[in-house]
Amino acid sequence: SLFRLKDLEVAKLGDSDVHVKMLAAPINPADINMIQGTYAILSPLPAVGGNEGVGEVLEVGQRVTTLKPGDRVIPASSGLGTWRTQGVFPEEMLLKVPNDIPVLCAATLSVNPCTAFRMLADFEALAPGDSVIQNGANSGVGQAVIQIAKASGIKTINVVRDRPDLPKLVERLMALGADHVITEEMLRKPEMKDIFKSIPKPRLALNCVGGKSTTEMLRHLQPKGTMVTYGGMAKQPVMSAFIFRDVRLRGFWMTQWRKDHAQDQESVASMMDALYQLIQRGQLTAPACTEVPLQDYKAALEATMKPFTSSKQILLL
C-alpha cells in the first residue's frame, strides 16, 4: 500500500504558526488520486494525505492575530495534510470556524460545500423557483447542492446511477430536500416531460460523471443554459447540444478558485459565513459518514474506493 502510519516529531512553533490538534478528517477519492499521481496536483512524497478536516488550536505563535487556543479551524486551501493527530501550520493556511458547528460538518466543509456554493452562485443568476440538474447527486458535492439549493428555493433534479439499494438512496436524498431523484436511464425516457410540467427546465447543469448522462442532461437544459463540469471529466464528446442550442460548457475546480481569490478575503469570508449560517439553521448537514479510528485507516481507504459508496469515511484523530 502507498500509505502507512508513522510517528513524527511535531515541528517547533514559529512566530506565525499555529499548533493544531486534529479532530476529524474525511477521506475523499481525490485525496487518494492525488497520492497515486492521477490528480492535477502532486504533493512531493513522502507527504501527509488529506485535504479536509477540522482541528482545535492548542497554541499560537506570538505574531498570530486571528486565532487563539480553543478555536476550531479548517484548511484554507488544499494540500494541508489533515490525516494526522497534530500539526504545526502557518496561520494563513487555516480558517477559523464557529465552535458550535458539529465536528463532522466542519470536517467536510472546505471542499464539497464550497464547491457546491460556488457552482450555484457563479455561473447562472438563479432565482427561487428556478431549477438545476446534476449527476452524481449522492456525492458529497451533490448532497450539498441539494441542501443549499433547497435553502434558496431552487428546485433540484438529481441523477444517480442505478444500484441495488436505490429506494433507500432516493429516500435519503429526498429527505435532504431533493425535488426529483432519477436514474441515468430515466433521463432518456419520455416521462421526463412530466417533471417539467411542475418545474421549469434547468438553466444550470452540474456534471461530475461524464459519459452518456452528460449528453442527456444537456438535452434537458434551457437554451443558453450552462453546464459546469467538475471532478471526473467526461471521456466522450458532447458536441451537438452546445453547438445548436448555444449552451455554455464551463469547468470548475475549487482549488483554482481559491488560488484566484487568495487576495480577496471578502469573497472567501462571505461564502464561509453563508455556509456557517446554513449549518447553524440546520439547512446544511454533513454527508452520510462512517467514523473510523485512525488505526483502521486501511479499511477506510478500501471502503472509499468501492463503487456505489454512499457513506464518507471520516478518520477520527
Side-chain angles (χ1 to χ4, degrees):
S1 159
L2 286 161
F3 299 92
R4 62 172 190 275
L5 220 44
K6 205 165 176 223
D7 284 321
L8 302 168
E9 284 291 308
V10 174
K12 215 162 106 350
L13 188 73
D15 285 349
S16 308
D17 288 341
V18 180
H19 182 187
V20 177
K21 169 183 183 282
M22 291 303 297
L23 301 173
I27 299 180
N28 294 314
D31 300 332
I32 299 175
N33 299 342
M34 197 191 253
I35 290 163
Q36 290 168 335
T38 56
Y39 201 60
I41 344 174
L42 197 50
S43 314
L45 300 175
V48 178
N51 290 294
E52 252 188 332
V54 62
E56 185 183 321
V57 175
L58 297 177
E59 202 188 341
V60 301
Q62 54 196 41
R63 291 218 198 104
V64 171
T65 56
T66 58
L67 296 168
K68 59 184 189 309
D71 283 347
R72 292 267 175 92
V73 289
I74 62 174
S77 57
S78 53
L80 194 65
T82 53
W83 302 344
R84 61 172 100 210
T85 53
Q86 296 190 23
V88 171
F89 309 107
E91 175 183 21
E92 71 268 12
M93 290 182 77
L94 302 168
L95 285 177
K96 181 180 159 154
V97 296
N99 281 30
D100 61 355
I101 284 188
V103 166
L104 295 183
C105 281
T108 53
L109 189 56
S110 60
V111 178
N112 296 329
C114 289
T115 300
F117 183 92
R118 296 268 47 113
M119 292 194 301
L120 287 170
D122 294 353
F123 296 94
E124 287 282 345
L126 299 169
D130 284 344
S131 78
V132 173
I133 189 167
Q134 63 165 345
N135 58 22
N138 59 310
S139 66
V141 172
Q143 293 175 56
V145 164
I146 290 170
Q147 295 174 83
I148 295 168
K150 169 87 174 171
S152 324
I154 294 161
K155 309 285 185 202
T156 56
I157 303 162
N158 300 280
V159 185
V160 296
R161 286 183 301 173
D162 201 0
R163 63 195 63 215
D165 58 347
L166 185 65
K168 218 160 65 191
L169 175 62
V170 171
E171 194 182 323
R172 211 180 64 199
L173 297 183
M174 296 299 277
L176 289 180
D179 295 282
H180 298 276
V181 181
I182 58 175
T183 62
E184 295 189 346
E185 290 68 40
M186 264 192 69
L187 265 180
R188 297 180 199 115
K189 302 260 166 76
E191 287 82 342
M192 280 299 287
K193 288 196 188 70
D194 298 338
I195 289 181
F196 299 123
K197 283 177 186 151
S198 56
I199 61 175
K201 287 209 155 195
R203 296 230 309 275
L204 180 66
L206 306 176
N207 167 46
C208 66
V209 174
K212 285 210 179 69
S213 80
T214 313
T215 319
E216 299 295 336
M217 285 201 311
L218 274 175
R219 293 214 339 246
H220 297 299
L221 262 192
Q222 281 189 31
K224 293 195 174 2
T226 303
M227 172 175 282
V228 181
T229 294
Y230 68 99
M233 298 299 280
K235 300 285 187 287
Q236 283 114 323
V238 282
M239 285 317 201
S240 58
F242 72 97
I243 296 171
F244 298 123
R245 296 177 43 235
D246 189 23
V247 299
R248 286 180 288 251
L249 293 194
R250 303 284 303 272
F252 182 79
W253 190 33
M254 195 64 214
T255 304
Q256 188 60 46
W257 186 92
R258 288 194 188 282
K259 280 200 188 107
D260 296 345
H261 294 78
Q263 302 313 313
D264 176 9
Q265 281 315 302
E266 261 309 271
S267 55
V268 176
S270 68
M271 164 174 74
M272 297 316 294
D273 285 342
L275 291 170
Y276 301 152
Q277 284 175 32
L278 288 172
I279 292 168
Q280 286 158 336
R281 286 193 224 118
Q283 293 177 305
L284 178 63
T285 55
C289 292
T290 306
E291 302 176 35
V292 183
L294 183 58
Q295 300 80 283
D296 303 341
Y297 74 95
K298 285 200 168 101
L301 288 167
E302 274 168 27
T304 300
M305 298 317 271
K306 285 206 175 90
F308 301 132
T309 308
S310 48
S311 186
K312 192 176 281 293
Q313 307 291 310
I314 302 244
L315 298 172
L316 294 185
L317 305 158

